[in-house]
Amino acid sequence: MIPSELRSGAGYWIASLRAMLRFDYGRMRAWAAMLVLIQTMMGAGMALLYGFFYPHITPFRALYITTGAPTLALIPLGFVMLPGSVGQQKIEGTFDYIWALPAPRSAQATSTFLLYALLALPGTVLALLVAAWRYGVHLSPSPLLLPAVLLCALMAIAVGYGMALAISDPLVTNLVTNALMFVVLLFSPIVYPPSQLPGWLFAIHRVLPFYNMAVAIRAGLTAGVETQVMTSFLVLAAWTVAGCSVIAWIVTRRR
Amino acid sequence: MTTIAPPINVRRGAARWWRDYISMLRWHLASLRMWFVTLTVVQVLTGAGFVLGISLFFKHIPVRAALFASTGVPVLNLLMVGLILGPQLVADQKANGSQEYLRTIPVGRLATAGAWYTVCLAGGVPAMVVSLLVAWLRYDIPLHVSVMIVPAIALTTFTGAMFGYALAHAIVNPMATRLITQLLVFVIFGFAPILFPIAQMPRWLGTLNWWFPFRHMAVVIRAALTSGPNSAVLAAYGVLGAWSVLCAALAGRALGRRA
């Protein structure tokens, strides 16, 4: 029977969000451990791996690698795993099924968002701990760390999700995310100072999110290494807003 | 005159094998089509990109680091199709049913595997050449290419392709295949001494790597590209040979298994 009136309002939205969280978690549960494991390995693993490339790890290099580790853990989750999972949903048809559910799409998107944000944290913390232990770096965390990590996680998930929604062909998404990872891991000044880049490349990185993530998180972990933190926070906020706008635009439109 | 009766003689022998091989090769290339072009472009870009990108890790890159990275990237180029793309393709084939279809084709295992091996070589060698050329132009490193490059390429690609084949058929779930191949990318990039000297990783990790094929691939390829005696080459060929036989046996079993 068709309900006589349309359900809406804040109460309905929250109930939908709760239902979607249960639905998403139920689907993800089998993979959640694997995802956390992979993300940890990516973050902590990358931190160890960069060290192998250097004949001698000076304290300066160690500091950069250690404070870059949380950034390395956040990027794959938002920019690779989330788009990959959405791509898989599109292939399987689950994506259309979810959109057909009688829950507001904003609640559906929020649910995905929240779950991935939760999933991102353990791997990020562990990456930092492993790196600090491996390189014996002394860190001086400040209260700035919390907003920095939260903003970076939000930004990565918002942009990754927006990208996954905006690109309709899962194969293209796969190609884009892989290319992104390659560029990020090699050509971004996350685990090394930007002074090692050619000027034009650094100019590009000032507006891209990756270098700014590293700056924000490094500023929260050290004292006096990063000076232009405000700019980075602004750039990250702008990317978050852009990502959210794309998500909002796509989930509210009809096909 | 044409007849609709089944052929009286079952064709066999080298001519038959060659015909099967050619048809399978055409099948592979046709099913990859545009992807093969994209793949080649991606391969060339990543190879050249890595060779250039490694210098950003250093203020001034030492010659030794440049040499190791430049002679290690070709190994990654050779492995990319067989080891990384291969299992994902098989997973896709399983999902869309073409795996079942392929099983019904009256083509021998050897021809099937041979055709795929050719595709792996074709997808790897051009990228390898470009990577080396870029490295030579960028770093002016001392390369001395010897004849041993031929068996080194042949064995490295073969082991990679068979490893990938065996892996692809051993794993049932496509999602697991994707995760494991991504893990493999990670391993060959950073946890096997391919792109940097083995002395730069912890000793136990280097020892562990002795039991896996990737370290030895780097040894044979690097030995064929640089001058100077390398005592590890013989052992490396031995271990690689053992791995290739093992993986080929597993892959052969998987290809011949009846559903």
Side-chain angles (χ1 to χ4, degrees):
Chain A
M1 214 176 93
I2 300 166
S4 52
E5 53 191 277
L6 278 175
R7 290 161 298 178
S8 58
Y12 179 61
W13 194 89
I14 289 172
S16 299
L17 174 63
R18 203 180 293 147
M20 283 313 297
L21 275 172
R22 276 178 51 200
F23 178 83
D24 282 338
Y25 176 69
R27 281 190 327 114
M28 196 193 260
R29 196 167 45 189
W31 294 105
M34 190 83 149
L35 286 176
V36 169
L37 183 78
I38 289 189
Q39 195 223 352
T40 308
M41 288 195 43
M42 286 291 275
M46 289 307 299
L48 299 179
L49 186 156
Y50 275 112
F52 296 156
F53 279 89
Y54 292 107
H56 305 289
I57 299 172
T58 57
F60 180 72
R61 274 181 188 149
L63 181 69
Y64 259 87
I65 296 177
T66 307
T67 53
T71 308
L72 292 177
L74 284 174
I75 291 175
L77 191 91
F79 287 90
V80 179
M81 290 187 207
L82 179 53
S85 149
V86 173
Q88 193 75 25
Q89 285 179 15
K90 284 186 177 171
I91 294 175
E92 289 165 354
T94 318
F95 189 75
D96 288 322
Y97 172 73
I98 294 175
W99 271 24
L101 288 174
R105 287 189 192 160
S106 53
Q108 296 171 352
T110 311
S111 151
T112 307
F113 209 86
L114 284 177
L115 272 183
Y116 270 89
L118 261 179
L119 214 58
L121 293 178
T124 310
V125 174
L126 213 60
L128 180 64
L129 292 181
V130 169
W133 162 78
R134 171 77 171 86
Y135 299 108
V137 171
H138 181 71
L139 299 171
S140 38
S142 70
L144 193 65
L145 184 61
L146 195 67
V149 171
L150 286 181
L151 182 60
C152 288
L154 282 187
M155 191 282 302
I157 294 166
V159 175
Y161 196 33
M163 196 167 69
L165 291 177
I167 304 172
S168 55
D169 188 349
L171 277 178
V172 177
T173 316
N174 197 1
L175 201 70
V176 170
T177 54
N178 279 313
L180 250 179
M181 274 316 275
F182 185 72
V183 171
V184 167
L185 296 182
L186 262 182
F187 297 96
S188 301
I190 295 171
V191 291
Y192 54 81
S195 59
Q196 288 175 202
L197 292 183
W200 60 270
L201 194 52
F202 183 38
I204 295 176
H205 273 296
R206 278 175 192 274
V207 286
L208 289 180
F210 316 112
Y211 162 69
N212 291 298
M213 288 173 85
V215 170
I217 291 179
R218 185 166 297 127
L221 286 170
T222 56
V225 177
E226 298 293 348
T227 45
Q228 292 182 317
V229 186
M230 210 49 220
T231 331
S232 292
F233 270 91
L234 285 177
V235 174
L236 290 173
W239 276 98
T240 314
V241 171
C244 289
S245 313
V246 171
I247 298 172
W249 175 58
I250 290 175
V251 299
T252 51
R253 111 192 133 161
R254 285 172 188 276
R255 269 189 290 191
Chain B
M1 197 185 84
T2 53
T3 168
I4 52 166
I8 299 160
N9 299 320
V10 176
R11 278 170 295 183
R12 48 177 102 235
R16 161 70 197 258
W17 187 89
W18 180 249
R19 205 201 56 174
D20 288 352
Y21 165 79
I22 294 292
S23 357
M24 281 314 290
L25 191 59
R26 283 178 53 196
W27 192 88
H28 277 307
L29 291 176
S31 63
L32 284 171
R33 267 191 312 261
M34 272 313 286
W35 275 107
F36 195 74
V37 181
T38 318
L39 173 81
T40 310
V41 174
V42 170
Q43 275 264 65
V44 167
L45 286 182
T46 47
F50 195 88
V51 167
L52 297 177
I54 189 79
S55 72
L56 300 176
F57 286 22
F58 301 87
K59 225 180 186 86
H60 303 287
I61 186 166
V63 178
R64 188 174 152 81
L67 185 65
F68 263 84
S70 307
T71 52
V73 169
V75 179
L76 304 189
N77 286 143
L78 294 177
L79 289 179
M80 209 44 83
V81 180
L83 188 68
I84 309 301
L85 187 75
Q88 297 190 18
L89 273 182
V90 173
D92 287 350
Q93 286 174 2
K94 278 184 185 169
N96 65 24
S98 44
Q99 188 68 26
E100 289 289 300
Y101 169 71
L102 276 177
R103 278 174 186 279
T104 64
I105 296 177
V107 167
R109 280 179 266 183
L110 210 58
T112 310
W116 175 240
Y117 176 48
T118 312
V119 173
C120 293
L121 278 175
V125 175
M128 168 178 176
V129 173
V130 174
S131 305
L132 283 173
L133 202 68
V134 170
W136 181 66
L137 289 174
R138 170 72 174 81
Y139 301 114
D140 203 16
I141 45 169
L143 289 181
H144 298 273
V145 184
S146 74
V147 192
M148 287 307 282
I149 193 69
V150 177
I153 290 178
L155 193 58
T156 299
T157 313
F158 183 74
T159 313
M162 290 304 125
F163 197 108
Y165 241 156
L167 198 70
H169 289 279
I171 308 169
V172 182
N173 189 319
M175 176 93 170
T177 309
R178 223 183 65 191
L179 289 178
I180 289 179
T181 49
Q182 277 174 1
L183 210 66
L184 270 177
V185 173
F186 204 58
V187 168
I188 60 174
F189 255 96
F191 289 94
I194 295 178
L195 298 165
F196 45 80
I198 193 164
Q200 285 172 208
M201 58 173 23
R203 188 180 289 273
W204 64 269
L205 195 53
T207 314
L208 185 68
N209 262 297
W210 196 88
W211 297 96
F212 288 91
F214 310 117
R215 167 184 167 175
H216 304 289
M217 293 172 175
V219 169
V220 298
I221 295 278
R222 188 165 293 125
L225 287 173
T226 52
S227 62
N230 190 335
S231 54
V233 175
L234 212 62
Y237 270 108
V239 177
L240 264 188
W243 268 98
S244 68
V245 170
L246 176 73
C247 292
L250 288 174
R253 222 188 78 183
L255 283 175
R257 192 174 49 203
R258 286 167 194 278

